[in-house]
Amino acid sequence: MPSNISDASLKKRKRAQIPEKPSKRTKPESSDIESSDSEEEENHQAEILLLEDEILKSKKNYNNITVLLEFAQRQDDSQDALFAAVSLCRVFLRLLASGSLSRKAGQSEREIVVIQWLKGKLSEYKKLLVYALGEEPSASTALTLSMRLLKAETQSTSEKADVAFPKAFLKDIVGVLVSKVFVDVQEEFCQKYLEKYADIRFHTFQALSDILANHAASSIDDELFDSVFDMLSFFEPVPEGANDLGSLYVDLPKKKADLVLSPHQQKKQCQTAWVALLRCNLERRQRKRLLEVMTDSIAPCFSQPELLSDFLTDSYDAGGSLSLLALSGVFYLIQNRNLDYPSFYQKLYSLLDADMLHSKHRSSVMRLLDTFLSSSHLPAALVASYAKRLARLSLNAPPSAIVAVIPWTYNLIRRHPMLSFMVHRVMQTPEAKKAVESQGMDDPFDEREEDPMETKAIDSCLWEVVQLQSHYHPMVATIAKILSEQFTKQWYNMEDFLDHSYSSLVEAELSKSVKKPPVVEFMIPKRIFLPNEPGSGVEDNLFVKLWEFE
């Protein structure tokens, strides 16, 4: 007996011994920790799989769902939490597929209580997925699980006529996607679901409208605006026919499916979402983004484009770059919806200021001007004002802008022959000709006049083009001479001149083949800033004559 006691005491002492604290540089200890962590993680995952298997085997183990929810809500171990979330998704998918969450005739009160309990746990799981969707490491997986669960919910209904799209769950998903700036996850949602499935697109538009309704009276932050804008403008071109809308993600009854697959109803929902965004208290940058895609992405989505009139006219009247961007949208409404804008050409004329030819929107404005002034029914006095105004602005414009203005003026004169007097005006009497040659003449053009019909540009001439023929840039000087020669060319393609820049002009000059080498100075001067020696016979440099350098 004593020997036994002594052995026990020896064992207890061995357990009580405190090991020496290892050095920080000891590598085996860190590897042991890593291996123990991995083993613990494997044990947790094995436990999760065991709990899942028990749930699917017997209804008595439904309480394991609560344990899995606790695992999925753990903040200290994201891997186990995500693994538990995936496991729960499999559990609920099988329960929904087997009809375990559906009430049927003849069920006992106890069975109904179990169904209500399962629905409550399903609701908790949905909230957990929505939360995980807002965390970047788990966002992509949470999106996949959420969309699978969304589809399975509609398949659990025994009667097909009772199938309803889970709008509330999709609204929660979309709400997180537009509030959190996870670009990859948003693109995944747009490419995998929004683009392919008509019902997802239809109800996403509804969800965005509801979300934006809370920001109608207040300003919208940039992150939310950019997310909603990217989601709404995802389709280019906009789907027009039923074949372009895609298939159904959820198997809906025929009446509901026909509603979702209707191009008119799709446009109507998209229009409602865009209107909700336009009604927000937008900043200048946000307005610019909308105006940049107005005619390509926004207006084609509207079954009633006239709803854009207030936004476009307000932007057009705002002045500056907003007015330039709103030009195409206003013209779209005038052309397609007969929008009445009485002072359109007067407002357009006011936009041609000193900054326009320096703006990055110059090429788009020139394209629109070419369209706006193409009608032969416009008064010659009005068209002459635009030609004269741009010719005057060209005197202080960059070369890349001038090379577009000159061909544009050439085409304008070809369309409106009455403007030919501005480049070739013959004096009626010899006395008048002699007076002009000796004394010159005052330009009758009034550049301060805001009304293009009252500027008297038709009585003036394009003398500014003659000045441009002596421009320092050789390409500008060459192009400016086309208005002094015979108009043998029918018209110039403006697209060849609109997108020029300093770099493209320089490259064009450098790529030219030199027919006649220029004359250059072959003698290198010995002194530039100092006088030459008196007996050298070399004349001093101009710098020495004008300035004294010590």
Side-chain angles (χ1 to χ4, degrees), residues 410-430:
Y410 182 96
N411 292 344
L412 199 65
I413 296 173
R414 293 289 292 180
R415 289 196 190 102
H416 304 273
M418 289 292 293
L419 301 187
S420 58
F421 290 106
M422 300 181 72
V423 294
H424 183 71
R425 191 183 300 275
V426 180
M427 294 298 174
Q428 298 180 357
T429 61

mmCIF file with all atom_site columns, all heavy atoms in Angstrom, residues 410-430:
data_model
loop_
_atom_site.group_PDB
_atom_site.id
_atom_site.type_symbol
_atom_site.label_atom_id
_atom_site.label_alt_id
_atom_site.label_comp_id
_atom_site.label_asym_id
_atom_site.label_entity_id
_atom_site.label_seq_id
_atom_site.pdbx_PDB_ins_code
_atom_site.Cartn_x
_atom_site.Cartn_y
_atom_site.Cartn_z
_atom_site.occupancy
_atom_site.B_iso_or_equiv
_atom_site.pdbx_formal_charge
_atom_site.auth_seq_id
_atom_site.auth_comp_id
_atom_site.auth_asym_id
_atom_site.auth_atom_id
_atom_site.pdbx_PDB_model_num
ATOM 1   N N   . TYR A 1 410 ? -16.628 74.329  -92.758  1.00 0.00 ? 410 TYR A N   1
ATOM 2   C CA  . TYR A 1 410 ? -16.720 73.993  -94.191  1.00 0.00 ? 410 TYR A CA  1
ATOM 3   C C   . TYR A 1 410 ? -18.033 73.254  -94.475  1.00 0.00 ? 410 TYR A C   1
ATOM 4   O O   . TYR A 1 410 ? -18.771 73.603  -95.411  1.00 0.00 ? 410 TYR A O   1
ATOM 5   C CB  . TYR A 1 410 ? -15.520 73.135  -94.576  1.00 0.00 ? 410 TYR A CB  1
ATOM 6   C CG  . TYR A 1 410 ? -15.466 72.747  -96.034  1.00 0.00 ? 410 TYR A CG  1
ATOM 7   C CD1 . TYR A 1 410 ? -14.703 73.475  -96.943  1.00 0.00 ? 410 TYR A CD1 1
ATOM 8   C CD2 . TYR A 1 410 ? -16.165 71.641  -96.517  1.00 0.00 ? 410 TYR A CD2 1
ATOM 9   C CE1 . TYR A 1 410 ? -14.649 73.116  -98.285  1.00 0.00 ? 410 TYR A CE1 1
ATOM 10  C CE2 . TYR A 1 410 ? -16.121 71.274  -97.847  1.00 0.00 ? 410 TYR A CE2 1
ATOM 11  C CZ  . TYR A 1 410 ? -15.353 72.018  -98.732  1.00 0.00 ? 410 TYR A CZ  1
ATOM 12  O OH  . TYR A 1 410 ? -15.319 71.669  -100.066 1.00 0.00 ? 410 TYR A OH  1
ATOM 13  N N   . ASN A 1 411 ? -18.345 72.223  -93.660  1.00 0.00 ? 411 ASN A N   1
ATOM 14  C CA  . ASN A 1 411 ? -19.584 71.467  -93.863  1.00 0.00 ? 411 ASN A CA  1
ATOM 15  C C   . ASN A 1 411 ? -20.814 72.350  -93.657  1.00 0.00 ? 411 ASN A C   1
ATOM 16  O O   . ASN A 1 411 ? -21.832 72.194  -94.344  1.00 0.00 ? 411 ASN A O   1
ATOM 17  C CB  . ASN A 1 411 ? -19.634 70.282  -92.895  1.00 0.00 ? 411 ASN A CB  1
ATOM 18  C CG  . ASN A 1 411 ? -18.584 69.227  -93.197  1.00 0.00 ? 411 ASN A CG  1
ATOM 19  O OD1 . ASN A 1 411 ? -18.005 69.217  -94.284  1.00 0.00 ? 411 ASN A OD1 1
ATOM 20  N ND2 . ASN A 1 411 ? -18.332 68.351  -92.246  1.00 0.00 ? 411 ASN A ND2 1
ATOM 21  N N   . LEU A 1 412 ? -20.711 73.287  -92.712  1.00 0.00 ? 412 LEU A N   1
ATOM 22  C CA  . LEU A 1 412 ? -21.846 74.177  -92.436  1.00 0.00 ? 412 LEU A CA  1
ATOM 23  C C   . LEU A 1 412 ? -22.133 75.078  -93.637  1.00 0.00 ? 412 LEU A C   1
ATOM 24  O O   . LEU A 1 412 ? -23.291 75.306  -94.002  1.00 0.00 ? 412 LEU A O   1
ATOM 25  C CB  . LEU A 1 412 ? -21.536 75.013  -91.185  1.00 0.00 ? 412 LEU A CB  1
ATOM 26  C CG  . LEU A 1 412 ? -22.729 75.657  -90.475  1.00 0.00 ? 412 LEU A CG  1
ATOM 27  C CD1 . LEU A 1 412 ? -23.644 74.591  -89.897  1.00 0.00 ? 412 LEU A CD1 1
ATOM 28  C CD2 . LEU A 1 412 ? -22.238 76.592  -89.362  1.00 0.00 ? 412 LEU A CD2 1
ATOM 29  N N   . ILE A 1 413 ? -21.078 75.583  -94.254  1.00 0.00 ? 413 ILE A N   1
ATOM 30  C CA  . ILE A 1 413 ? -21.262 76.438  -95.430  1.00 0.00 ? 413 ILE A CA  1
ATOM 31  C C   . ILE A 1 413 ? -21.807 75.630  -96.605  1.00 0.00 ? 413 ILE A C   1
ATOM 32  O O   . ILE A 1 413 ? -22.626 76.133  -97.391  1.00 0.00 ? 413 ILE A O   1
ATOM 33  C CB  . ILE A 1 413 ? -19.933 77.129  -95.797  1.00 0.00 ? 413 ILE A CB  1
ATOM 34  C CG1 . ILE A 1 413 ? -19.498 78.067  -94.663  1.00 0.00 ? 413 ILE A CG1 1
ATOM 35  C CG2 . ILE A 1 413 ? -20.048 77.919  -97.094  1.00 0.00 ? 413 ILE A CG2 1
ATOM 36  C CD1 . ILE A 1 413 ? -18.127 78.673  -94.854  1.00 0.00 ? 413 ILE A CD1 1
ATOM 37  N N   . ARG A 1 414 ? -21.409 74.371  -96.736  1.00 0.00 ? 414 ARG A N   1
ATOM 38  C CA  . ARG A 1 414 ? -21.935 73.531  -97.799  1.00 0.00 ? 414 ARG A CA  1
ATOM 39  C C   . ARG A 1 414 ? -23.433 73.265  -97.602  1.00 0.00 ? 414 ARG A C   1
ATOM 40  O O   . ARG A 1 414 ? -24.196 73.234  -98.563  1.00 0.00 ? 414 ARG A O   1
ATOM 41  C CB  . ARG A 1 414 ? -21.175 72.211  -97.857  1.00 0.00 ? 414 ARG A CB  1
ATOM 42  C CG  . ARG A 1 414 ? -19.721 72.335  -98.279  1.00 0.00 ? 414 ARG A CG  1
ATOM 43  C CD  . ARG A 1 414 ? -19.581 72.685  -99.745  1.00 0.00 ? 414 ARG A CD  1
ATOM 44  N NE  . ARG A 1 414 ? -20.004 71.604  -100.618 1.00 0.00 ? 414 ARG A NE  1
ATOM 45  C CZ  . ARG A 1 414 ? -19.976 71.668  -101.942 1.00 0.00 ? 414 ARG A CZ  1
ATOM 46  N NH1 . ARG A 1 414 ? -19.585 72.798  -102.544 1.00 0.00 ? 414 ARG A NH1 1
ATOM 47  N NH2 . ARG A 1 414 ? -20.352 70.640  -102.668 1.00 0.00 ? 414 ARG A NH2 1
ATOM 48  N N   . ARG A 1 415 ? -23.852 73.090  -96.355  1.00 0.00 ? 415 ARG A N   1
ATOM 49  C CA  . ARG A 1 415 ? -25.271 72.838  -96.098  1.00 0.00 ? 415 ARG A CA  1
ATOM 50  C C   . ARG A 1 415 ? -26.102 74.111  -96.245  1.00 0.00 ? 415 ARG A C   1
ATOM 51  O O   . ARG A 1 415 ? -27.272 74.055  -96.604  1.00 0.00 ? 415 ARG A O   1
ATOM 52  C CB  . ARG A 1 415 ? -25.448 72.293  -94.668  1.00 0.00 ? 415 ARG A CB  1
ATOM 53  C CG  . ARG A 1 415 ? -24.941 70.886  -94.455  1.00 0.00 ? 415 ARG A CG  1
ATOM 54  C CD  . ARG A 1 415 ? -25.504 70.312  -93.169  1.00 0.00 ? 415 ARG A CD  1
ATOM 55  N NE  . ARG A 1 415 ? -24.860 69.056  -92.798  1.00 0.00 ? 415 ARG A NE  1
ATOM 56  C CZ  . ARG A 1 415 ? -23.932 68.934  -91.866  1.00 0.00 ? 415 ARG A CZ  1
ATOM 57  N NH1 . ARG A 1 415 ? -23.525 70.009  -91.206  1.00 0.00 ? 415 ARG A NH1 1
ATOM 58  N NH2 . ARG A 1 415 ? -23.414 67.762  -91.586  1.00 0.00 ? 415 ARG A NH2 1
ATOM 59  N N   . HIS A 1 416 ? -25.506 75.251  -95.902  1.00 0.00 ? 416 HIS A N   1
ATOM 60  C CA  . HIS A 1 416 ? -26.220 76.529  -95.931  1.00 0.00 ? 416 HIS A CA  1
ATOM 61  C C   . HIS A 1 416 ? -25.472 77.487  -96.869  1.00 0.00 ? 416 HIS A C   1
ATOM 62  O O   . HIS A 1 416 ? -24.601 78.252  -96.429  1.00 0.00 ? 416 HIS A O   1
ATOM 63  C CB  . HIS A 1 416 ? -26.310 77.127  -94.528  1.00 0.00 ? 416 HIS A CB  1
ATOM 64  C CG  . HIS A 1 416 ? -26.949 76.207  -93.521  1.00 0.00 ? 416 HIS A CG  1
ATOM 65  N ND1 . HIS A 1 416 ? -28.310 76.156  -93.320  1.00 0.00 ? 416 HIS A ND1 1
ATOM 66  C CD2 . HIS A 1 416 ? -26.405 75.296  -92.680  1.00 0.00 ? 416 HIS A CD2 1
ATOM 67  C CE1 . HIS A 1 416 ? -28.577 75.258  -92.386  1.00 0.00 ? 416 HIS A CE1 1
ATOM 68  N NE2 . HIS A 1 416 ? -27.435 74.731  -91.980  1.00 0.00 ? 416 HIS A NE2 1
ATOM 69  N N   . PRO A 1 417 ? -25.774 77.456  -98.145  1.00 0.00 ? 417 PRO A N   1
ATOM 70  C CA  . PRO A 1 417 ? -25.027 78.279  -99.125  1.00 0.00 ? 417 PRO A CA  1
ATOM 71  C C   . PRO A 1 417 ? -25.094 79.778  -98.845  1.00 0.00 ? 417 PRO A C   1
ATOM 72  O O   . PRO A 1 417 ? -24.208 80.508  -99.287  1.00 0.00 ? 417 PRO A O   1
ATOM 73  C CB  . PRO A 1 417 ? -25.723 77.935  -100.456 1.00 0.00 ? 417 PRO A CB  1
ATOM 74  C CG  . PRO A 1 417 ? -26.363 76.612  -100.231 1.00 0.00 ? 417 PRO A CG  1
ATOM 75  C CD  . PRO A 1 417 ? -26.773 76.596  -98.799  1.00 0.00 ? 417 PRO A CD  1
ATOM 76  N N   . MET A 1 418 ? -26.096 80.226  -98.093  1.00 0.00 ? 418 MET A N   1
ATOM 77  C CA  . MET A 1 418 ? -26.180 81.652  -97.772  1.00 0.00 ? 418 MET A CA  1
ATOM 78  C C   . MET A 1 418 ? -24.979 82.137  -96.957  1.00 0.00 ? 418 MET A C   1
ATOM 79  O O   . MET A 1 418 ? -24.664 83.327  -96.947  1.00 0.00 ? 418 MET A O   1
ATOM 80  C CB  . MET A 1 418 ? -27.464 81.932  -96.998  1.00 0.00 ? 418 MET A CB  1
ATOM 81  C CG  . MET A 1 418 ? -28.742 81.829  -97.841  1.00 0.00 ? 418 MET A CG  1
ATOM 82  S SD  . MET A 1 418 ? -28.840 83.143  -99.080  1.00 0.00 ? 418 MET A SD  1
ATOM 83  C CE  . MET A 1 418 ? -29.035 84.566  -98.019  1.00 0.00 ? 418 MET A CE  1
ATOM 84  N N   . LEU A 1 419 ? -24.288 81.220  -96.300  1.00 0.00 ? 419 LEU A N   1
ATOM 85  C CA  . LEU A 1 419 ? -23.124 81.597  -95.487  1.00 0.00 ? 419 LEU A CA  1
ATOM 86  C C   . LEU A 1 419 ? -21.885 81.847  -96.337  1.00 0.00 ? 419 LEU A C   1
ATOM 87  O O   . LEU A 1 419 ? -20.848 82.276  -95.806  1.00 0.00 ? 419 LEU A O   1
ATOM 88  C CB  . LEU A 1 419 ? -22.812 80.496  -94.459  1.00 0.00 ? 419 LEU A CB  1
ATOM 89  C CG  . LEU A 1 419 ? -23.907 80.134  -93.461  1.00 0.00 ? 419 LEU A CG  1
ATOM 90  C CD1 . LEU A 1 419 ? -23.357 79.172  -92.422  1.00 0.00 ? 419 LEU A CD1 1
ATOM 91  C CD2 . LEU A 1 419 ? -24.473 81.368  -92.781  1.00 0.00 ? 419 LEU A CD2 1
ATOM 92  N N   . SER A 1 420 ? -21.962 81.583  -97.636  1.00 0.00 ? 420 SER A N   1
ATOM 93  C CA  . SER A 1 420 ? -20.786 81.789  -98.490  1.00 0.00 ? 420 SER A CA  1
ATOM 94  C C   . SER A 1 420 ? -20.392 83.259  -98.542  1.00 0.00 ? 420 SER A C   1
ATOM 95  O O   . SER A 1 420 ? -19.230 83.581  -98.846  1.00 0.00 ? 420 SER A O   1
ATOM 96  C CB  . SER A 1 420 ? -21.067 81.267  -99.902  1.00 0.00 ? 420 SER A CB  1
ATOM 97  O OG  . SER A 1 420 ? -22.197 81.921  -100.458 1.00 0.00 ? 420 SER A OG  1
ATOM 98  N N   . PHE A 1 421 ? -21.314 84.161  -98.239  1.00 0.00 ? 421 PHE A N   1
ATOM 99  C CA  . PHE A 1 421 ? -20.957 85.585  -98.197  1.00 0.00 ? 421 PHE A CA  1
ATOM 100 C C   . PHE A 1 421 ? -19.936 85.876  -97.094  1.00 0.00 ? 421 PHE A C   1
ATOM 101 O O   . PHE A 1 421 ? -19.234 86.881  -97.147  1.00 0.00 ? 421 PHE A O   1
ATOM 102 C CB  . PHE A 1 421 ? -22.216 86.438  -97.959  1.00 0.00 ? 421 PHE A CB  1
ATOM 103 C CG  . PHE A 1 421 ? -23.156 86.459  -99.130  1.00 0.00 ? 421 PHE A CG  1
ATOM 104 C CD1 . PHE A 1 421 ? -24.338 85.746  -99.110  1.00 0.00 ? 421 PHE A CD1 1
ATOM 105 C CD2 . PHE A 1 421 ? -22.834 87.183  -100.270 1.00 0.00 ? 421 PHE A CD2 1
ATOM 106 C CE1 . PHE A 1 421 ? -25.194 85.764  -100.194 1.00 0.00 ? 421 PHE A CE1 1
ATOM 107 C CE2 . PHE A 1 421 ? -23.691 87.204  -101.359 1.00 0.00 ? 421 PHE A CE2 1
ATOM 108 C CZ  . PHE A 1 421 ? -24.875 86.490  -101.331 1.00 0.00 ? 421 PHE A CZ  1
ATOM 109 N N   . MET A 1 422 ? -19.848 85.002  -96.100  1.00 0.00 ? 422 MET A N   1
ATOM 110 C CA  . MET A 1 422 ? -18.926 85.242  -94.988  1.00 0.00 ? 422 MET A CA  1
ATOM 111 C C   . MET A 1 422 ? -17.486 84.926  -95.361  1.00 0.00 ? 422 MET A C   1
ATOM 112 O O   . MET A 1 422 ? -16.564 85.330  -94.649  1.00 0.00 ? 422 MET A O   1
ATOM 113 C CB  . MET A 1 422 ? -19.341 84.401  -93.771  1.00 0.00 ? 422 MET A CB  1
ATOM 114 C CG  . MET A 1 422 ? -20.746 84.707  -93.261  1.00 0.00 ? 422 MET A CG  1
ATOM 115 S SD  . MET A 1 422 ? -21.199 83.736  -91.820  1.00 0.00 ? 422 MET A SD  1
ATOM 116 C CE  . MET A 1 422 ? -20.175 84.487  -90.561  1.00 0.00 ? 422 MET A CE  1
ATOM 117 N N   . VAL A 1 423 ? -17.272 84.219  -96.477  1.00 0.00 ? 423 VAL A N   1
ATOM 118 C CA  . VAL A 1 423 ? -15.916 83.932  -96.920  1.00 0.00 ? 423 VAL A CA  1
ATOM 119 C C   . VAL A 1 423 ? -15.575 84.618  -98.241  1.00 0.00 ? 423 VAL A C   1
ATOM 120 O O   . VAL A 1 423 ? -14.408 84.685  -98.638  1.00 0.00 ? 423 VAL A O   1
ATOM 121 C CB  . VAL A 1 423 ? -15.696 82.404  -97.067  1.00 0.00 ? 423 VAL A CB  1
ATOM 122 C CG1 . VAL A 1 423 ? -15.775 81.731  -95.713  1.00 0.00 ? 423 VAL A CG1 1
ATOM 123 C CG2 . VAL A 1 423 ? -16.689 81.797  -98.032  1.00 0.00 ? 423 VAL A CG2 1
ATOM 124 N N   . HIS A 1 424 ? -16.592 85.135  -98.921  1.00 0.00 ? 424 HIS A N   1
ATOM 125 C CA  . HIS A 1 424 ? -16.336 85.822  -100.197 1.00 0.00 ? 424 HIS A CA  1
ATOM 126 C C   . HIS A 1 424 ? -17.431 86.878  -100.399 1.00 0.00 ? 424 HIS A C   1
ATOM 127 O O   . HIS A 1 424 ? -18.492 86.601  -100.942 1.00 0.00 ? 424 HIS A O   1
ATOM 128 C CB  . HIS A 1 424 ? -16.330 84.824  -101.354 1.00 0.00 ? 424 HIS A CB  1
ATOM 129 C CG  . HIS A 1 424 ? -15.993 85.454  -102.679 1.00 0.00 ? 424 HIS A CG  1
ATOM 130 N ND1 . HIS A 1 424 ? -14.728 85.898  -102.983 1.00 0.00 ? 424 HIS A ND1 1
ATOM 131 C CD2 . HIS A 1 424 ? -16.751 85.721  -103.764 1.00 0.00 ? 424 HIS A CD2 1
ATOM 132 C CE1 . HIS A 1 424 ? -14.718 86.410  -104.204 1.00 0.00 ? 424 HIS A CE1 1
ATOM 133 N NE2 . HIS A 1 424 ? -15.944 86.327  -104.700 1.00 0.00 ? 424 HIS A NE2 1
ATOM 134 N N   . ARG A 1 425 ? -17.162 88.087  -99.935  1.00 0.00 ? 425 ARG A N   1
ATOM 135 C CA  . ARG A 1 425 ? -18.118 89.187  -100.065 1.00 0.00 ? 425 ARG A CA  1
ATOM 136 C C   . ARG A 1 425 ? -17.537 90.227  -101.033 1.00 0.00 ? 425 ARG A C   1
ATOM 137 O O   . ARG A 1 425 ? -16.464 90.797  -100.762 1.00 0.00 ? 425 ARG A O   1
ATOM 138 C CB  . ARG A 1 425 ? -18.405 89.821  -98.697  1.00 0.00 ? 425 ARG A CB  1
ATOM 139 C CG  . ARG A 1 425 ? -19.576 90.797  -98.708  1.00 0.00 ? 425 ARG A CG  1
ATOM 140 C CD  . ARG A 1 425 ? -19.742 91.424  -97.336  1.00 0.00 ? 425 ARG A CD  1
ATOM 141 N NE  . ARG A 1 425 ? -20.009 90.435  -96.313  1.00 0.00 ? 425 ARG A NE  1
ATOM 142 C CZ  . ARG A 1 425 ? -21.215 89.960  -96.023  1.00 0.00 ? 425 ARG A CZ  1
ATOM 143 N NH1 . ARG A 1 425 ? -22.263 90.392  -96.712  1.00 0.00 ? 425 ARG A NH1 1
ATOM 144 N NH2 . ARG A 1 425 ? -21.381 89.066  -95.086  1.00 0.00 ? 425 ARG A NH2 1
ATOM 145 N N   . VAL A 1 426 ? -18.220 90.461  -102.133 1.00 0.00 ? 426 VAL A N   1
ATOM 146 C CA  . VAL A 1 426 ? -17.760 91.404  -103.154 1.00 0.00 ? 426 VAL A CA  1
ATOM 147 C C   . VAL A 1 426 ? -18.372 92.778  -102.872 1.00 0.00 ? 426 VAL A C   1
ATOM 148 O O   . VAL A 1 426 ? -19.573 92.899  -102.637 1.00 0.00 ? 426 VAL A O   1
ATOM 149 C CB  . VAL A 1 426 ? -18.163 90.916  -104.569 1.00 0.00 ? 426 VAL A CB  1
ATOM 150 C CG1 . VAL A 1 426 ? -17.689 91.905  -105.624 1.00 0.00 ? 426 VAL A CG1 1
ATOM 151 C CG2 . VAL A 1 426 ? -17.582 89.520  -104.826 1.00 0.00 ? 426 VAL A CG2 1
ATOM 152 N N   . MET A 1 427 ? -17.501 93.790  -102.879 1.00 0.00 ? 427 MET A N   1
ATOM 153 C CA  . MET A 1 427 ? -17.983 95.155  -102.667 1.00 0.00 ? 427 MET A CA  1
ATOM 154 C C   . MET A 1 427 ? -18.827 95.606  -103.858 1.00 0.00 ? 427 MET A C   1
ATOM 155 O O   . MET A 1 427 ? -18.464 95.366  -105.014 1.00 0.00 ? 427 MET A O   1
ATOM 156 C CB  . MET A 1 427 ? -16.807 96.108  -102.445 1.00 0.00 ? 427 MET A CB  1
ATOM 157 C CG  . MET A 1 427 ? -16.048 95.821  -101.167 1.00 0.00 ? 427 MET A CG  1
ATOM 158 S SD  . MET A 1 427 ? -17.095 96.037  -99.718  1.00 0.00 ? 427 MET A SD  1
ATOM 159 C CE  . MET A 1 427 ? -16.010 95.464  -98.418  1.00 0.00 ? 427 MET A CE  1
ATOM 160 N N   . GLN A 1 428 ? -19.922 96.278  -103.574 1.00 0.00 ? 428 GLN A N   1
ATOM 161 C CA  . GLN A 1 428 ? -20.854 96.665  -104.642 1.00 0.00 ? 428 GLN A CA  1
ATOM 162 C C   . GLN A 1 428 ? -20.345 97.823  -105.479 1.00 0.00 ? 428 GLN A C   1
ATOM 163 O O   . GLN A 1 428 ? -20.634 97.913  -106.673 1.00 0.00 ? 428 GLN A O   1
ATOM 164 C CB  . GLN A 1 428 ? -22.219 97.001  -104.032 1.00 0.00 ? 428 GLN A CB  1
ATOM 165 C CG  . GLN A 1 428 ? -22.866 95.817  -103.324 1.00 0.00 ? 428 GLN A CG  1
ATOM 166 C CD  . GLN A 1 428 ? -24.217 96.172  -102.739 1.00 0.00 ? 428 GLN A CD  1
ATOM 167 O OE1 . GLN A 1 428 ? -24.645 97.325  -102.811 1.00 0.00 ? 428 GLN A OE1 1
ATOM 168 N NE2 . GLN A 1 428 ? -24.891 95.186  -102.160 1.00 0.00 ? 428 GLN A NE2 1
ATOM 169 N N   . THR A 1 429 ? -19.584 98.743  -104.908 1.00 0.00 ? 429 THR A N   1
ATOM 170 C CA  . THR A 1 429 ? -19.101 99.920  -105.643 1.00 0.00 ? 429 THR A CA  1
ATOM 171 C C   . THR A 1 429 ? -17.598 100.039 -105.480 1.00 0.00 ? 429 THR A C   1
ATOM 172 O O   . THR A 1 429 ? -17.034 99.623  -104.457 1.00 0.00 ? 429 THR A O   1
ATOM 173 C CB  . THR A 1 429 ? -19.782 101.193 -105.127 1.00 0.00 ? 429 THR A CB  1
ATOM 174 O OG1 . THR A 1 429 ? -19.464 101.385 -103.728 1.00 0.00 ? 429 THR A OG1 1
ATOM 175 C CG2 . THR A 1 429 ? -21.300 101.086 -105.284 1.00 0.00 ? 429 THR A CG2 1
ATOM 176 N N   . PRO A 1 430 ? -16.930 100.637 -106.455 1.00 0.00 ? 430 PRO A N   1
ATOM 177 C CA  . PRO A 1 430 ? -15.478 100.851 -106.329 1.00 0.00 ? 430 PRO A CA  1
ATOM 178 C C   . PRO A 1 430 ? -15.131 101.755 -105.154 1.00 0.00 ? 430 PRO A C   1
ATOM 179 O O   . PRO A 1 430 ? -14.079 101.593 -104.540 1.00 0.00 ? 430 PRO A O   1
ATOM 180 C CB  . PRO A 1 430 ? -15.094 101.483 -107.667 1.00 0.00 ? 430 PRO A CB  1
ATOM 181 C CG  . PRO A 1 430 ? -16.190 101.105 -108.605 1.00 0.00 ? 430 PRO A CG  1
ATOM 182 C CD  . PRO A 1 430 ? -17.428 101.018 -107.796 1.00 0.00 ? 430 PRO A CD  1
#
